[in-house]
Amino acid sequence: MTQSPRSLTRDEAEARSALLDVVRYDIAVDLRGLFEGEVLESTSTITFRCGEPGASTFVDCLAEVRQATLNGHELDLSTVAEGRIPLPDLAADNLLVVRAAQADTGSGAGILRTVDPSDKLVYVWTSFEADDARRAWACFDQPDLKAPHAFTVLAPVTWTVTSNGAPDSVVDAADGGRLWTFPDTPRLSTYVVVVNAGPFHELREERGGHSLGLYCRQSLKHYLERDAADLFESTEAGLAFFGERFGQPFPQVRYDQVFVPNMGGAMENWGCVTWTDAVLFRSPPTHGQRAMVNSVLLHEMAHMWFGDLVTMQWWDDLWLNEAFASWAATWAGVNATSYTDGWATFLAGQKLTGYQVDMGPASHPIRGDVPDVAQAMANFDAITYVKGESVLKQLVAYVGEDVFVEGLRAYFRDHAWGNTRLADLMSAVGTAAGRDLSEWTAAWFDRAGTDTLTLSGGEILAIGPDGEEPRPHHLEIGVYDRAGDALERVGTAYAETTGTRTRVEGLPESADLFLVNDSDLTFAAVRTDERSLRTMLAAAGGLPEPVSRALAVTTAWDMLVKGELATDELLTCVLGVLDTERSAGVVEPFLAMALRAAEQWTRPAAVPAQLARLADRAAALAGDPEHRAPALRTLAASASSPEHLALLAESAADDVDLAWRVLVRRSALGEYDAPAVEALLERDPDPEASVRALGVLAARPDDAAKAEVWAELFEKRTIPAGTPTMQLAACFWRPVQHDLMLPWAHRYLDAVVELAGGGMLAVGSLMRSAIPTTGDEAWVERALAIANEPGQNPTVRGTLLTGADTMTRVLRARS
């Protein structure tokens, strides 16, 4: 029988790691039952050593265990419980064989079987972080018991199978199907191995000494072919850049990327990255969408070194994987691809999510306490990814990029195919820098919260969170004077703060603007003098660099969420910047910020007027060919006049994506058009077009329409994870429909607890993407009460704590 899971604790993992040395895994997987059914079968043969013969341990298997033998002796299956098979009386050298079957292949917990609605073809993918390999086959499912894996896979004859390397052979099986045999992987953790299968469309090119493969389902092949040149170019550039900078070329020829349905993100499987195929956009992608794909591609690639080659000992150093990969992706994007405004894009978009979580009750140290894997899953959040990336950028500024790279090369050289802790990385960097980084490490990685840095009277006044001692900061202060409509940079001062007061050398007595943290080198809330503030709010668009403009705008946003600035003032600042903004890297995040401010952070009665301001700016920006697509999409979300709608109607004639957005807007305005929805469904080749139609329904100010969409999203769970879920949730939650929305906001609290415990990518996508954007004080009180219940799932707790904190700030801004 399939059992309820038990989360592995750190103490259990340490004990098992001290006891065992896993020599290898030989895993036979039978996918033929998934062609028309739901069952994946596996036989896992594990060769391992035990340092204390006679001792006992357990192996993880959260599937139906059909047979298990240890050193030739049958194990008693009645002892199997909570996803664990007891292993008594171990020998020095052991051979464990476990036959298992998994029927839960439809929920996205580790394994997902999907049927393409357009052609009924079946695809299967696996994704095992943090501890879902045990759902597919028996294994010691923890990151520090690394071993080679050898897969043999039986699959239907029409399917292609991808794994961590190229197959050694593909032959017809005597009892039907085909047998795919893959070579040994390097020593890998259990969560970065993979088996994907289906009648994939494949593209392959030989570039830079590597064989680069791209795969997708048949119904999306024309989108993959459209994007293939960019994907191949970024992949080749990234492998070359990382190989040179890390002093370790990617060691195998094959590097595949598989785009699969209903996946909530991407996964860094060694040599075979699995992606959501939502990134194969169904309309020509904007600059921002292409930049996002480039960033994800490089993030997952960086994991080949940081995560796969060298892996954290335990999940409390999860940031060693995710923060580093995020930083490396932006770093490589700026230096090796055409996305040279990457740091400005990061600041204007993602970095705000890090500040959002870090200012609230769900904040935690980057290196937090992770007593079990369930807590690790909660730490896949903006602190780990976004604040972690920002702090690594600060570390690079602190020691210098060349020194940091020297430290990384030593780190990869000394720990290849092994496991590490934070101290190992910081020791390598500290040695290269000739500096003791222990105090810096404790200040930045072991403490939660954000420092506030204020420039006053030629000094930086630093305040730590909750009045604690502030961290050390290495930062720039840009000095600007007005020159007509522009702000001209007349100087730069550099500061390395210590304690609560630091004198800044080289600052003039006065200037029109002192921009604190120019170049965005550190992670801190920043404030400046009153004259500078007024200049920044009125003339931020005149700053010469995209990262400086992004810093000005995000500083204004920080003041909004902390109650220091009115929504109207924030909008005036952002729209003013958009009057002259021409950097594609920041236009889209600025438009998104303005839309969020107008819709969510404005009192409902004033929302139409604020949306009209935004719509006018978007309509004007649509005249610029480079920014036309994101401007029209923003206009579709904010259209407020017949002129706006006429421009959209003309533009949507040959743009299916824009046509859906226009129907959503009309529906939200009370003009739901069922025949137009049916006509667009007929016209749209996207196999997920039905989700777009549901989005039009979701926007209606009608309770019955909301109920129909809610059932699909939360009860039947028919909506693909990731982008489709986020888009549908955005259509559903309409703050201007506040009174209609309130009961549904409370229903979210009833539903969210039931989501806990499923697959990370699927469940995390729904829980975090579908959180209400409007509510009341009663909602905040209920959310906090649920979050603080004893034994609450850590992911639920973190999501609700951040949601309640944000809702409190939104309600204050609206008042």
Side-chain angles (χ1 to χ4, degrees):
M1 59 179 291
T2 303
Q3 321 101 44
S4 299
R6 181 176 170 187
S7 187
L8 183 71
T9 70
R10 178 175 51 216
D11 291 344
E12 290 172 327
E14 289 175 350
R16 192 161 64 172
S17 182
L19 185 67
L20 304 182
D21 174 26
V22 183
V23 177
R24 63 180 292 111
Y25 288 96
D26 292 277
I27 300 174
V29 184
D30 192 340
L31 302 178
R32 292 174 297 180
L34 293 171
F35 188 71
E36 294 183 340
E38 298 179 341
V39 178
L40 176 150
E41 296 181 317
S42 67
T43 301
S44 179
T45 302
I46 310 174
T47 306
F48 66 100
R49 302 187 185 97
C50 174
E52 299 176 19
S56 299
T57 189
F58 60 91
V59 71
D60 304 295
C61 189
L62 193 57
E64 177 193 352
V65 180
R66 294 179 170 175
Q67 184 183 36
T69 62
L70 177 63
N71 300 326
H73 301 290
E74 294 276 347
L75 295 175
D76 181 1
L77 299 189
S78 68
T79 64
V80 178
E82 299 179 302
R84 298 177 174 191
I85 305 172
L87 303 178
D89 193 22
L90 294 172
D93 297 289
N94 299 274
L95 186 68
L96 174 67
V97 182
V98 178
R99 288 197 307 111
Q102 180 57 267
D104 179 14
T105 55
S107 70
I111 309 156
L112 187 67
R113 173 189 185 269
T114 63
V115 181
D116 189 309
S118 65
D119 56 20
K120 308 307 178 186
L121 295 177
V122 177
Y123 298 86
V124 179
W125 56 261
T126 65
S127 182
F128 296 141
E129 194 170 22
D131 62 345
D132 282 338
R134 59 182 178 152
R135 297 178 184 270
W137 44 73
C139 58
F140 298 108
D141 209 355
Q142 63 188 73
D144 62 341
L145 287 176
K146 301 174 78 169
H149 291 64
F151 287 100
T152 56
V153 183
L154 283 164
V157 293
T158 57
W159 286 10
T160 296
V161 179
T162 69
S163 188
N164 300 97
D168 281 338
S169 65
V170 183
V171 299
D172 291 336
D175 57 346
R178 301 170 83 191
L179 177 66
W180 297 67
T181 301
F182 293 89
D184 285 7
T185 70
R187 291 185 72 243
L188 295 177
S189 298
T190 51
Y191 76 93
V192 292
V193 298
V194 68
V195 172
N196 306 305
F200 290 116
H201 178 63
E202 178 184 1
L203 301 175
R204 184 165 296 280
E205 289 191 7
E206 309 300 313
R207 289 190 176 219
H210 294 283
S211 177
L212 307 181
L214 303 173
Y215 297 82
C216 73
R217 48 180 158 150
Q218 292 292 331
S219 63
L220 300 183
K221 63 183 180 182
H222 50 294
Y223 303 119
L224 181 64
E225 289 169 354
R226 176 198 65 197
D227 296 343
D230 286 347
L231 292 166
F232 281 132
E233 183 178 342
S234 291
T235 304
E236 179 184 16
L239 288 171
F241 180 81
F242 288 141
E244 188 278 325
R245 297 304 275 159
F246 296 158
Q248 295 241 7
F250 184 66
Q252 72 181 33
V253 172
R254 180 108 159 192
Y255 189 88
D256 291 339
Q257 297 175 86
V258 185
F259 299 87
V260 296
N262 199 5
M263 186 180 188
M267 182 60 207
E268 65 266 21
N269 313 302
W270 173 259
C272 184
V273 174
T274 312
W275 292 63
T276 171
D277 65 16
V279 300
L280 299 176
F281 299 105
R282 313 312 198 248
S283 61
T286 64
H287 176 93
Q289 289 174 320
R290 295 194 306 272
M292 180 273 290
V293 169
N294 187 70
S295 179
V296 174
L297 184 153
L298 294 171
H299 175 107
E300 305 305 333
M301 183 185 290
H303 276 308
M304 300 302 122
W305 289 264
F306 221 107
D308 296 4
L309 176 71
V310 182
T311 311
M312 77 239 142
Q313 193 82 27
W314 177 246
W315 298 104
D316 50 3
D317 279 327
L318 171 69
W319 83 274
L320 280 177
N321 283 10
E322 301 304 339
F324 182 88
S326 296
W327 170 82
T330 309
W331 178 56
V334 168
N335 289 283
T337 77
S338 62
Y339 299 97
T340 54
D341 285 342
W343 288 118
T345 303
F346 169 71
L347 170 58
Q350 300 99 301
K351 194 170 182 180
L352 290 177
T353 64
Y355 285 131
Q356 176 189 15
V357 177
D358 206 35
M359 70 177 66
S363 179
H364 57 84
I366 294 174
R367 179 173 63 172
D369 182 40
V370 181
D372 57 29
V373 181
Q375 180 63 51
M377 292 180 68
N379 285 0
F380 283 85
D381 64 6
I383 298 295
T384 293
Y385 286 83
V386 178
K387 184 179 180 182
E389 174 176 357
S390 303
V391 172
L392 283 175
K393 185 181 181 184
Q394 168 67 184
L395 177 59
V396 174
Y398 189 65
V399 301
E401 182 175 316
D402 290 343
V403 167
F404 187 66
V405 168
E406 181 184 344
L408 289 179
R409 289 178 171 178
Y411 176 79
F412 291 129
R413 181 186 65 242
D414 295 344
H415 300 287
W417 308 118
N419 295 85
T420 59
R421 303 200 64 92
L422 171 60
D424 298 306
L425 174 65
M426 299 309 291
S427 174
V429 175
T431 298
R435 303 176 75 161
D436 180 358
L437 296 176
S438 56
E439 291 186 7
W440 192 99
T441 300
W444 277 105
F445 295 126
D446 295 336
R447 291 172 51 198
T450 305
D451 292 351
T452 299
L453 307 179
T454 302
L455 182 66
S456 177
E459 289 185 315
I460 292 178
L461 309 181
I463 302 173
D466 299 322
E468 298 177 0
E469 184 73 10
R471 304 168 177 90
H473 295 265
H474 180 91
L475 72 156
E476 294 179 10
I477 300 170
V479 184
Y480 297 89
D481 280 332
R482 287 180 178 271
D485 292 333
L487 285 168
E488 184 178 274
R489 191 177 194 131
V490 295
T492 302
Y494 301 90
E496 197 163 292
T497 68
T498 54
T500 58
R501 305 177 75 96
T502 302
R503 170 64 57 181
V504 181
E505 301 298 332
L507 276 183
E509 289 188 9
S510 67
D512 288 323
L513 172 61
F514 293 109
L515 192 61
V516 182
N517 196 28
D518 211 355
S519 300
D520 191 42
L521 298 181
T522 195
F523 186 89
V526 295
R527 299 293 186 266
T528 188
D529 62 274
E530 185 65 23
R531 178 184 175 187
S532 290
L533 174 61
R534 292 301 138 199
T535 302
M536 184 187 79
L537 293 175
L543 287 162
E545 295 297 328
V547 71
S548 301
R549 299 192 292 274
L551 182 70
V553 169
T554 54
T555 298
W557 180 270
D558 186 64
M559 295 176 71
L560 167 69
V561 300
K562 292 176 178 172
E564 302 170 29
L565 198 68
T567 305
D568 190 73
E569 291 178 287
L570 179 280
L571 267 172
T572 298
C573 175
V574 180
L575 296 178
V577 173
L578 285 168
D579 277 337
T580 56
E581 185 57 65
R582 292 298 174 263
S583 168
V586 295
V587 162
E588 288 180 64
F590 286 167
L591 286 169
M593 179 189 291
L595 181 61
R596 191 159 66 250
E599 280 194 318
Q600 185 181 8
W601 291 76
T602 300
R603 58 188 175 86
V607 167
Q610 298 290 33
L611 286 177
R613 293 177 65 196
L614 173 58
D616 288 341
R617 177 88 295 278
L621 192 60
D624 185 330
E626 185 176 8
H627 306 306
R628 181 173 177 80
L632 286 173
R633 292 178 185 184
T634 303
L635 180 61
S638 57
S640 305
S641 70
E643 292 77 16
H644 296 154
L645 292 170
L647 173 58
L648 288 168
E650 178 185 354
S651 303
D654 57 356
D655 186 336
V656 172
D657 174 75
L658 186 61
W660 281 119
R661 294 170 188 266
V662 174
L663 287 180
V664 169
R665 179 61 178 159
R666 287 188 176 276
S667 179
L669 293 172
E671 301 174 14
Y672 180 75
D673 188 341
V677 171
E678 289 301 319
L680 195 52
L681 272 173
E682 288 292 321
R683 182 177 146 204
D684 191 349
D686 181 3
E688 267 89 51
S690 61
V691 180
R692 303 300 298 271
L694 206 59
V696 181
L697 184 67
R700 288 186 73 181
D702 176 78
D703 201 58
K706 301 291 185 186
E708 185 175 338
V709 174
W710 183 272
E712 298 296 331
L713 190 60
F714 278 96
E715 296 166 8
K716 300 177 185 178
R717 302 274 296 280
T718 60
I719 309 305
T723 301
T725 293
M726 289 187 281
Q727 288 179 336
L728 184 59
C731 294
F732 184 93
W733 297 114
R734 318 298 290 189
V736 75
Q737 301 169 3
H738 177 76
D739 292 340
L740 175 64
M741 294 279 84
L742 272 181
W744 294 103
H746 284 272
R747 281 193 66 173
Y748 171 88
L749 296 177
D750 299 330
V752 70
V753 177
E754 300 175 9
L755 295 176
M760 181 188 74
L761 293 176
V763 172
S765 167
L766 179 55
M767 192 182 303
R768 289 171 173 148
S769 301
I771 194 164
T773 55
T774 194
D776 57 9
E777 294 292 347
W779 188 92
V780 171
E781 292 174 8
R782 278 196 68 204
L784 291 173
I786 294 170
N788 291 315
E789 287 176 355
Q792 184 59 271
N793 176 276
T795 303
V796 172
R797 181 186 303 115
T799 301
L800 291 183
L801 287 175
T802 297
D805 182 66
T806 300
M807 190 71 74
T808 298
R809 296 174 188 276
V810 165
L811 294 175
R812 179 178 61 199
R814 290 178 183 175
S815 66

